[in-house]
Amino acid sequence: MLDTVRKIAKGLLGQGTMDGVLGLAVGDGGVSPRLFEDPGDLGSLSLASKWPLAKIAVTVLGQCPDAYRLAVVCRGCDERALIELGKRNRIDTRRLHVIGVACSGEQAERCLCQQPWPSRVDAGVRAQGADLSGNDQVRQYLDSDRGVRLEKWREAFSRCIKCYGCRNACPVCNCSPCRLEDGLWVNRGEIAPDMFSFHLTRAMHVADACVACGACQDACPVGIPLMLLQLPMRAELHRSYQYEAGTESERHSPLLSNYIDEPAGGISIPDWTDSLRKNHGS
Amino acid sequence: MTVHSDPGIVQNRRDSEHGPKILVFACRWCAGIGADGAGRQRLPLPADFRVIAVECASRIDPDTVLKSFSEGVDGVAILGCHLDGCRYNRANHATAKRMALLSTLLESVGIGADRLLTSFGTAHEGHQFADLMRRFYERLQGMPQQCRFETDPQAVSGGGVDHA
């Protein structure tokens, strides 16, 4: 699989179709992102550990001249993130070329990924998506009683050291200024930060853009299961609007439009008058 | 209708044995007029709520609701005009959508989707507003009281959150 990617990258760079290939490279300190520009210098290319490259692609394209064409070694989540960023005008997807790499079954299980492949697979074989029903963590944090759930989440959030790793690692999270740094909304100097104003606010901000890449959870130094925070909302968006972030490059988030343009559950104006009577998704 | 921006109001009532604290965001049009009408008609309804008037319910984003919960409010109500009657070009649809998503999040974390009430169409129907407040109040009475700053170390370890 690595050789296939190397060959493709070499071809793209050698023929001059692409100016650079963004991928991971093995170096002295381990594996880190690297922009390859020399077709003969692809020896250190690696696919080893998963790290979403979408945000780095934004930085690279931002610093390169306008005519620069960039190829990115993308997993499924990378490509979805790039599409979401393209929709939000953070990146011009026409300057990008995707070298698609499918993830293995084990990787999908680790990431709780339902779709561990990009739309175009150049290397690797499509594996089956993860089965969430058997997952212990999912059951404890999302399927148990309300009181048990609250305790588990509160305990998890009490470990937070406010490193902003989740926000920094998230590929679709790039507002400036970021509201989580605003003293009016999130109290300064408070560790662990308040669950509502920090974690739940962040979860809501990325709710309709989350591509389930798991970067937030990977980045968290204290092991808060942040991916599980987004899963119910993603399921709700899928159930109500058949919308999954990162899959359609022309369709914007359903939250941005009204019920006539984006009906929920097939009903153009729901007839509920108050949510006390309406059944909310759990 | 008065606008309460003083955080002391919520803080002072924290230690009293009064019922759940409800913060109501009502749009200036149908919802606010209905709420006002309920008061003017002296309809019986629980008094432990405060109303913040906004131009349109869509002014309220999930951050505001979450900040309210963080400050110790037990229940938040977002009231707007009928779903086909917003004078700001169906902005209440956006409210409905985002509050529905927020309530999914609140339910999954264990706070409870019941704490967030979204209601449309409390127009010149003061009795509807009163009925809504009564039902919301009853629903919240069965739920544990919110403490300010849920991740306060004392709250987590000493179990000081559950006053139910």
Side-chain angles (χ1 to χ4, degrees):
Chain A
M1 199 160 86
L2 180 57
D3 288 326
T4 323
V5 177
R6 261 204 206 111
K7 211 164 56 159
I8 298 172
K10 197 167 182 174
L12 289 171
L13 289 173
Q15 287 159 24
T17 340
M18 293 284 141
D19 297 308
V21 173
L22 180 63
L24 293 171
V26 178
D28 291 330
V31 176
S32 61
R34 187 163 155 209
L35 183 63
F36 296 94
E37 284 173 322
D38 183 357
D41 187 29
L42 289 166
S44 55
L45 183 69
S46 163
L47 298 174
S49 52
K50 167 204 152 194
W51 184 251
L53 293 169
K55 222 168 185 178
I56 303 168
V58 174
T59 316
V60 167
L61 278 183
Q63 294 185 348
C64 292
D66 281 344
Y68 199 94
R69 295 209 70 205
L70 181 69
V72 186
V73 179
C74 279
R75 297 173 183 265
C77 49
D78 283 318
E79 198 199 11
R80 296 198 293 269
L82 286 169
I83 289 177
E84 283 298 314
L85 287 167
K87 272 193 246 179
R88 286 163 172 79
N89 289 328
R90 305 287 191 213
I91 198 173
D92 185 0
T93 45
R94 287 170 304 183
R95 293 166 69 190
L96 292 175
H97 175 89
V98 167
I99 302 176
V101 173
C103 294
S104 65
E106 293 89 43
Q107 182 64 56
E109 287 292 329
R110 271 201 298 273
C111 290
L112 298 179
C113 189
Q114 303 291 95
Q115 200 181 341
W117 60 82
S119 61
R120 178 187 131 156
V121 180
D122 294 311
V125 173
R126 285 179 200 212
Q128 212 179 16
D131 180 21
L132 296 178
S133 52
N135 191 294
D136 208 29
Q137 223 185 18
V138 169
R139 202 166 32 84
Q140 282 174 11
Y141 280 90
L142 297 178
D143 269 347
S144 43
D145 274 342
R146 204 185 258 182
V148 175
R149 263 183 282 147
L150 185 57
E151 257 328 293
K152 287 228 67 107
W153 280 109
R154 240 191 239 150
E155 186 275 321
F157 288 136
S158 68
R159 286 181 269 142
C160 173
I161 57 172
K162 212 176 184 183
C163 67
Y164 286 97
C166 47
R167 185 210 54 181
N168 292 339
C170 174
V172 294
C173 210
N174 52 8
C175 295
S176 122
C178 174
R179 194 168 256 187
L180 297 180
E181 289 168 358
D182 188 344
L184 186 62
W185 290 94
V186 179
N187 296 317
R188 288 192 194 282
E190 193 180 70
I191 312 270
D194 175 47
M195 172 165 85
F196 292 100
S197 52
F198 192 90
H199 297 282
L200 299 190
T201 300
R202 193 192 64 81
M204 281 311 297
H205 281 195
V206 298
D208 57 351
C210 175
V211 295
C213 67
C216 49
Q217 193 165 318
D218 288 340
C220 181
V222 293
I224 301 174
L226 291 167
M227 245 200 99
L228 301 183
L229 206 52
Q230 305 294 141
L231 288 184
M233 289 196 283
R234 272 175 57 92
E236 174 65 31
L237 283 174
H238 187 72
R239 192 171 42 230
S240 296
Y241 306 102
Q242 282 76 52
Y243 179 77
E244 222 181 289
T247 49
E248 294 166 80
S249 57
E250 295 302 312
R251 185 181 174 191
H252 285 275
S253 158
L255 293 184
L256 298 173
S257 58
N258 53 44
Y259 281 119
I260 310 282
D261 298 329
E262 290 267 11
I267 302 172
S268 78
I269 295 187
D271 54 355
W272 53 282
T273 49
D274 68 73
S275 59
L276 276 179
R277 286 210 182 98
K278 177 178 180 271
N279 256 345
H280 280 284
S282 62
Chain B
M1 223 173 323
T2 46
V3 174
H4 287 268
S5 56
D6 181 3
I9 299 255
V10 175
Q11 181 70 41
N12 289 338
R13 296 173 71 93
R14 191 162 78 96
D15 301 317
S16 70
E17 281 311 310
H18 284 220
K21 292 185 290 292
I22 299 173
L23 188 58
V24 175
F25 292 97
C27 81
R28 200 154 79 84
W29 308 99
C30 299
I33 295 173
D36 217 32
R40 221 176 291 132
Q41 292 168 46
R42 307 284 186 261
L43 294 174
L45 74 167
D48 285 342
F49 65 92
R50 293 288 183 267
V51 177
I52 294 182
V54 290
E55 275 291 314
C56 176
S58 60
R59 169 65 177 86
I60 306 301
D61 54 353
D63 296 354
T64 313
V65 177
L66 289 169
K67 189 70 179 163
S68 312
F69 285 128
S70 147
E71 292 289 331
V73 169
D74 292 304
V76 176
I78 316 280
L79 308 182
C81 300
H82 276 287
L83 279 178
D84 54 359
C86 179
R87 62 164 53 224
Y88 298 113
N89 201 18
R90 298 196 189 114
N92 51 4
H93 290 214
T95 316
K97 290 191 177 193
R98 63 173 83 115
M99 291 308 154
L101 202 63
L102 175 59
S103 55
T104 308
L105 178 66
L106 290 175
E107 185 59 44
S108 66
V109 182
I111 300 294
D114 298 339
R115 288 193 192 269
L116 173 62
L117 167 69
T118 317
S119 172
F120 300 101
T122 48
H124 298 278
E125 298 152 353
H127 56 273
Q128 185 175 343
F129 175 78
D131 181 50
L132 204 65
M133 282 296 118
R134 263 193 300 260
R135 279 190 289 127
F136 194 33
Y137 191 81
E138 270 165 31
R139 183 73 67 89
L140 286 175
Q141 268 181 325
M143 301 176 80
Q145 196 177 17
Q146 281 281 91
C147 251
R148 203 176 185 193
F149 305 142
E150 288 286 353
T151 48
D152 186 43
Q154 291 157 323
V156 171
S157 57
V161 181
D162 241 274
H163 295 303

